[in-house]
């Protein structure tokens, strides 16, 4: 972070950490979130700048999937469409707010929560997307390397529906005016539909992962006085390369690219990412040395305060030396550090 801060000193720093709201958080999610708070505290203390953690709650994660028997196209309904906005906020509050509140109080770092529903409805986010559309051809192969078509989903607006083609095969986007886009698609239950998206109105703008990250990060470049730091798990290194290339393809220089912080990844004994989804679906086994609370942190055998304290102690170990931070950790090693945190992790050879 030091080169970015010293090259163009900001007035404040915001560490942005996003998580898909698709069930209870697992240890990898908690590790990234606690490291975001710990890094915010270090940056504040070292550079004397106000710092903040922004949690982006991605409620556009799939809630349920279906296949159209006639066309064979896959459809999805996201959490944001399956649940009401108050219910989604209640879910975020129940799953994440207790840990955030504890970390915030322990370190004196303010935080705020923003759902993707709120973000995509914001005028600045939509204007950024509208300005990007005329140049999207330059970036499309970076955003969708297999097809060259970045997925845009605008769920069916019919009451109590909200289904959208997962891969947006029949979605068509037409720029009708500089600040108006016409989108047409086909619903699983209601057939063809259309909507117009403007900076302040229109359908739910659900962008595929790389596409969404590009728009989000492009939107932060206009905040000259604020340094936004994108905090992600180590598995996102390669995806971020694609986003950076897409941003440069539409005109950004390397100096304008967002600052990034990649946190250690929790892996199995095979070296694969510890995946709660695969284990819960029975397609992978709980690795040796891992325990059930690692897949659902609500099962931690203690209080939220104790859990936060153990996480912060572990972050001190990881941040004490680059050898500790820039590596992956087995679930067994993470469990050992969480239960015997006074012992430093064995350095890489």
């Amino acid at each position: 972070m030091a080169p970015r801060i010293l090259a163009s000193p900001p007035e404040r720093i915001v560490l942005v950490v996003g998580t898909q709201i698709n069930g209870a958080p697992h240890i990898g999610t908690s590790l990234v979130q606690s490291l975001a708070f710990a890094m915010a505290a270090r940056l504040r203390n070292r550079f004397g700048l106000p710092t903040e953690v922004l949690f982006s709650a991605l409620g556009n994660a799939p809630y349920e999937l279906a296949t159209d028997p006639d066309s064979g196209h896959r459809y999805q309904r996201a959490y944001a469409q399956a649940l009401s906005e108050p219910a989604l906020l209640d879910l975020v509050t129940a799953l994440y707010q207790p840990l955030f509140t504890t970390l915030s109080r322990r370190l004196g770092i303010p935080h705020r929560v923003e759902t993707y529903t709120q973000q995509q409805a914001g005028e600045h986010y939509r204007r950024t997307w509208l300005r990007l559309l005329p140049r999207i051809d330059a970036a499309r192969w970076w955003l969708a390397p297999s097809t060259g078509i970045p997925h845009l989903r605008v769920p069916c607006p019919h009451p109590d529906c909200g289904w959208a083609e997962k891969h947006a095969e029949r979605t068509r986007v037409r720029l009708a005016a500089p600040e108006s886009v016409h989108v047409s698609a086909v619903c699983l239950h209601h057939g063809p539909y259309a909507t117009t998206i403007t900076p302040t109105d229109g359908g739910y703008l659900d962008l595929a992962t790389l596409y969404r990250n590009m728009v989000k990060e492009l939107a932060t470049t206009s905040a000259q006085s604020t340094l936004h730091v994108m905090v992600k798990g180590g598995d996102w290194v390669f995806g971020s390369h694609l986003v950076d290339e897409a941003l440069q393809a539409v005109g950004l220089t390397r100096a304008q690219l967002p600052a990034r912080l990649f946190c250690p990844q929790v892996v199995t004994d095979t070296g694969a990412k510890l995946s709660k989804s695969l284990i819960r679906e029975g397609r992978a086994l709980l690795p040796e040395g891992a325990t059930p609370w690692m897949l659902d942190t609500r099962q931690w055998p203690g209080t939220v305060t104790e859990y936060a304290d153990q996480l912060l102690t572990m972050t001190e170990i990881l941040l004490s030396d680059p050898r500790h931070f820039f590596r992956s950790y087995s679930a067994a090693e993470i469990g050992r550090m969480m239960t015997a945190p006074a012992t430093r992790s064995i350095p890489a050879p």
Side-chain angles (χ1 to χ4, degrees), residues 33-316:
Q33 292 165 350
S34 60
L35 280 165
F37 277 92
M39 183 59 74
R42 287 187 171 228
L43 292 173
R44 176 199 59 195
N45 296 340
R46 179 173 180 182
F47 296 101
L49 295 170
T51 59
E52 176 187 25
V53 171
L54 169 60
F55 176 61
S56 183
L58 303 176
N60 60 333
Y63 180 83
E64 52 187 333
L65 300 170
T67 300
D68 184 347
D70 296 325
S71 67
H73 291 179
R74 295 283 285 165
Y75 277 81
Q76 73 172 48
R77 191 157 71 131
Y79 275 76
Q81 280 71 54
L83 306 178
S84 65
E85 179 68 8
L88 186 61
L89 288 172
D90 287 345
L91 183 64
V92 173
T93 298
L95 294 178
Y96 297 97
Q97 194 61 61
L99 179 61
F100 289 159
T101 299
T102 304
L103 292 171
S104 183
R105 289 173 177 170
R106 281 283 188 270
L107 298 174
I109 298 296
H111 76 281
R112 57 191 173 94
V113 176
E114 180 183 58
T115 66
Y116 180 71
T117 298
Q118 296 167 333
Q119 185 184 57
Q120 63 82 34
E123 183 176 350
H124 180 57
Y125 185 90
R126 292 192 168 217
R127 285 191 185 279
T128 301
W129 177 68
L130 289 167
R131 289 198 304 269
L132 172 64
L133 273 182
R135 296 176 286 169
I136 197 64
D137 277 352
R140 65 191 184 96
W141 285 104
W142 295 111
L143 299 177
S146 60
T147 64
I149 304 174
H151 296 156
L152 161 67
R153 291 179 289 264
V154 178
C156 176
H158 193 278
D160 301 320
C161 184
W163 285 90
E165 278 191 319
K166 183 171 179 60
H167 301 296
E169 296 97 334
R170 293 178 288 184
T171 298
R172 300 292 179 264
V173 181
R174 179 173 60 84
L175 193 61
E179 294 191 345
S180 178
V181 168
H182 181 80
V183 179
S184 60
V186 182
C187 176
L188 174 64
H189 301 295
H190 302 100
Y193 62 95
T195 187
T196 298
I197 296 178
T198 69
T200 57
D201 198 12
Y204 187 97
L205 193 61
D206 183 7
L207 305 177
T209 304
L210 294 173
Y211 198 0
R212 181 186 69 241
N213 275 269
M214 181 186 185
V215 175
K216 177 185 73 174
E217 294 176 8
L218 190 59
T220 66
T221 61
S222 61
Q224 300 296 327
S225 62
T226 301
L227 174 64
H228 288 85
V229 181
M230 305 300 158
V231 184
K232 297 181 179 294
D235 57 316
W236 243 93
V237 169
F238 304 107
S240 293
H241 283 320
L242 295 173
V243 174
D244 284 348
E245 294 290 351
L247 289 170
Q248 291 179 90
V250 300
L252 266 66
T253 65
R254 289 200 62 82
Q256 292 175 304
L257 298 178
R260 302 189 189 281
L261 178 66
F262 296 106
C263 300
Q265 187 177 356
V266 183
V267 299
T268 69
D269 49 355
T270 68
K273 175 185 175 182
L274 179 68
S275 172
K276 66 177 181 182
S277 300
L278 292 179
I279 296 173
R280 288 174 181 174
E281 293 168 6
R283 292 188 287 161
L285 298 175
L286 189 67
E288 184 177 350
T291 52
W293 70 262
M294 294 182 176
L295 302 183
D296 183 346
T297 58
R298 294 173 300 180
Q299 297 183 34
W300 167 262
T303 66
V304 173
T305 300
E306 291 168 345
Y307 182 59
D309 287 344
Q310 298 293 76
L311 283 169
L312 289 177
T313 301
M314 183 166 62
T315 63
E316 286 298 311

